[in-house]
């Protein structure tokens, strides 16, 4: 029996020597961070008394360590290149143990034996992390009897728990309370529009005088100004050579007569042009003819560029908006009072960019984006209120840092060909052009959205 005890003691001393050789640090019992910065070491125990193992670790870390009499049992473990503090926590967790800090002394005891007097209170001021958001993370680490609270005035976490759990929280907060990277998100909204319109039209007409006696009827185009010889009342039979016929349709030509075919192009001040010709007297002076050719052609190109930018922190939503609010008057009435009441409702036409960026471990950016552009269209109004043209895009994408990607595009193209003509006559080859009008329009609108996220490093 004595030989067996001696052999156990020799084996323990060998293990303790291995432990002391592998560990190289000067740690303080009052500072967890000093111990955490120590060099990793290796150790191996087989069927060793838990009290002896804890004391060996404490000596290696230069801790003022007290082990309670209720701590009993054996432990077998093999660790390689580990931190001394991680090794101590693993040993205590295996046997349901914990420790309590009392000044510069660390006291090891069973969790079941811990009392309220053994609880430690510590405050952790936060620099970058949000107190309420951090509280939900620490709540998973605290013991059943532990308590957490937030001091909003100083943005600090107040913890009351066993020292072992508080030290775990301290190491976790060191990683959580770090400067959060910021991302600059730039969007370019490019709108390009082009249009082409062309119209060709014709107008012609005239008057005809045959020099013969015609029946009366000024409303049908007969010009009857003759009176009977010898005075008296007017006669219904005009004199020979006094009758003139001309068309009764549309505009008046150069000779003062109406047009037979009136299909002009949409010409006017600043739009297109017209060429009018009076061919004079034909057929021995009996026929006077007017002819007017009109043509209009317009082309246009436009480009509108919107470039909203917004800066936000990692995993935080950013929103930027700019636009116009259009007030609309609303009239309502009630059946009881039968009185109309006036109110004002606002219709928004804004350019809005909303984004939630997330930086990945390989320095790429995952984004949830929403872009909307709404603008009033004053060319189309209802009761004086313009309609709203909206364009929007929702997307989730992964982009390299500083890379520009095309989020999407919309292409709208309209083509139309129209013809107005006189039936049958417009089908005559060559001469049919004097009885018809042709127009052609071609419009194209294109919308492109570009996104460029950039990680801002100060």
């Amino acid at each position: 029996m004595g030989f067996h005890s001696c052999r156990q003691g020799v084996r323990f001393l060998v293990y303790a020597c291995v432990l002391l050789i592998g560990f190289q640090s000067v740690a303080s019992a009052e500072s967890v961070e000093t111990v955490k910065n120590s060099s990793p070491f290796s150790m191996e125990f087989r069927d060793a008394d838990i009290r002896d193992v804890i004391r060996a670790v404490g000596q290696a870390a230069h801790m003022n360590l007290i082990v309670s009499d209720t701590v009993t049992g054996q432990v077998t473990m093999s660790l390689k290149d580990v931190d001394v503090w991680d090794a101590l926590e693993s040993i205590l967790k295996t046997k349901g143990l914990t420790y309590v800090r009392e000044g510069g002394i660390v006291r090891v005891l069973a969790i079941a034996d811990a009392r309220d007097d053994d609880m430690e209170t510590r405050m952790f001021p936060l620099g970058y992390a949000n107190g309420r958001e951090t509280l939900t993370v620490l709540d998973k680490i605290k013991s059943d009897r532990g308590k957490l609270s937030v001091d909003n005035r100083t943005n600090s976490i107040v913890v009351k728990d066993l020292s072992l759990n508080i030290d775990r929280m301290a190491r976790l907060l060191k990683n959580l309370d770090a400067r959060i990277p910021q991302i600059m998100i730039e969007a370019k909204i490019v709108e390009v529009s082009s249009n082409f319109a062309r119209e060709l039209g014709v107008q012609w007409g005239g008057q005809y005088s045959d020099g013969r006696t015609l029946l009366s009827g000024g409303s049908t185009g007969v010009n009857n100004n003759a009176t009977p010889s010898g005075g008296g009342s007017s006669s219904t039979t005009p004199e020979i050579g006094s009758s003139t016929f001309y068309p009764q349709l549309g505009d008046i030509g150069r000779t003062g007569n109406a047009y037979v075919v009136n299909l002009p192009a949409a010409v006017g001040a600043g739009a297109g042009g017209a060429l009018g010709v009076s061919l004079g007297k034909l057929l021995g002076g009996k026929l006077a003819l007017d002819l007017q050719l009109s043509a209009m052609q317009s082309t246009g190109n436009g480009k509108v560029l919107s470039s909203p930018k917004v800066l936000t922190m990692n995993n935080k939503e950013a929103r930027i908006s700019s636009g116009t609010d259009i007030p609309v008057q609303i009239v309502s009435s009630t059946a009881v009072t039968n009185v109309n009441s006036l109110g004002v409702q606002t219709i928004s036409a804004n350019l809005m960019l909303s984004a939630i960026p997330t930086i990945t471990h390989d320095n790429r950016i995952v984004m949830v984006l929403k872009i909307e552009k709404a603008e009033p269209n004053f060319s189309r109004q209802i009761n004086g209120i313009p309609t709203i043209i909206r364009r929007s895009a929702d997307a989730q994408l992964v982009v390299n840092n500083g890379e520009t990607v095309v989020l999407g595009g919309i292409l709208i193209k309209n083509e139309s060909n129209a013809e107005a003509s006189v039936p049958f006559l417009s089908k005559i080859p060559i001469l049919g052009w004097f009885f018809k009008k042709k127009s052609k329009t071609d419009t194209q609108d294109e919308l492109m959205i570009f996104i460029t996220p950039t990680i801002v490093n100060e």
Side-chain angles (χ1 to χ4, degrees), residues 13-25:
L13 290 176
V14 172
Y15 291 152
C17 291
V18 173
L19 174 66
L20 293 175
I21 294 173
F23 180 74
Q24 298 177 356
S25 67

Side-chain angles (χ1 to χ4, degrees), residues 7-66:
R7 186 177 64 178
Q8 288 287 90
V10 171
R11 184 172 61 180
F12 174 73
L13 290 176
V14 172
Y15 291 152
C17 291
V18 173
L19 174 66
L20 293 175
I21 294 173
F23 180 74
Q24 298 177 356
S25 67
V26 179
S28 172
E30 298 179 357
S31 176
V32 178
E33 297 304 324
T34 305
V35 180
K36 287 295 293 182
N37 292 330
S38 61
S39 301
F41 70 101
S42 302
M43 64 180 179
E44 183 176 349
F45 293 99
R46 182 179 300 175
D47 298 330
D49 185 85
I50 184 67
R51 297 166 59 87
D52 295 332
V53 174
I54 293 175
R55 281 197 295 266
V57 174
Q59 292 176 4
H62 297 275
M63 295 181 186
N64 297 320
L65 194 65
I66 298 177

Side-chain angles (χ1 to χ4, degrees), residues 35 42 108 210 254 344 402:
V35 180
S42 302
V108 179
D210 60 359
R254 293 175 56 85
V344 177

Side-chain angles (χ1 to χ4, degrees), residues 60-98:
H62 297 275
M63 295 181 186
N64 297 320
L65 194 65
I66 298 177
V67 182
S68 175
D69 294 337
T70 58
V71 177
T72 59
Q74 292 181 330
V75 62
T76 298
M77 58 192 309
S78 178
L79 301 177
K80 182 179 181 180
D81 295 332
V82 297
D83 187 270
V84 63
W85 202 258
D86 294 334
L88 178 61
E89 287 189 4
S90 298
I91 295 171
L92 298 181
K93 185 177 180 180
T94 302
K95 295 299 181 178
L97 305 175
T98 185

